[in-house]
Amino acid sequence: FRSAIESLRRAVNLDPRMLPAGKCLAQSLVQEQRYQEAWDVVTEFTKQAPNDRTLIGLRDFLVDRVKHRGER
């Protein structure tokens, strides 16, 4: 997953609207248990596709696994 993460991150940086790459990036980060990074990706792509079932599922999985900004 590590090499996939690097490639997917480059793809997303080149085109921040590339939803399939964003979803794959988030899923790869989850597989590596990099939950905060995955949360950040899911949050950003949910702005583009708020009803996407994959993003909703990832968000639901991650919500209790990350510390949200602004919380103490």
Side-chain angles (χ1 to χ4, degrees), residues 1-10 25 28 32 34:
F1 289 103
R2 288 186 185 114
S3 62
I5 290 170
E6 293 171 19
S7 296
L8 291 164
R9 204 176 287 280
R10 278 194 299 274
L25 174 57
S28 296
E32 290 289 315
R34 293 164 61 176

Side-chain angles (χ1 to χ4, degrees), residues 4-55:
I5 290 170
E6 293 171 19
S7 296
L8 291 164
R9 204 176 287 280
R10 278 194 299 274
V12 168
N13 286 337
L14 288 171
D15 184 356
R17 297 166 298 161
M18 191 180 294
L19 182 60
K23 291 193 292 188
C24 287
L25 174 57
Q27 290 169 324
S28 296
L29 290 166
V30 166
Q31 289 297 318
E32 290 289 315
Q33 296 182 1
R34 293 164 61 176
Y35 298 136
Q36 185 63 56
E37 291 174 77
W39 176 264
D40 294 342
V41 172
V42 168
T43 300
E44 192 59 37
F45 278 92
T46 299
K47 293 174 187 173
Q48 295 177 32
N51 298 318
D52 185 277
R53 289 178 183 228
T54 301
L55 294 173

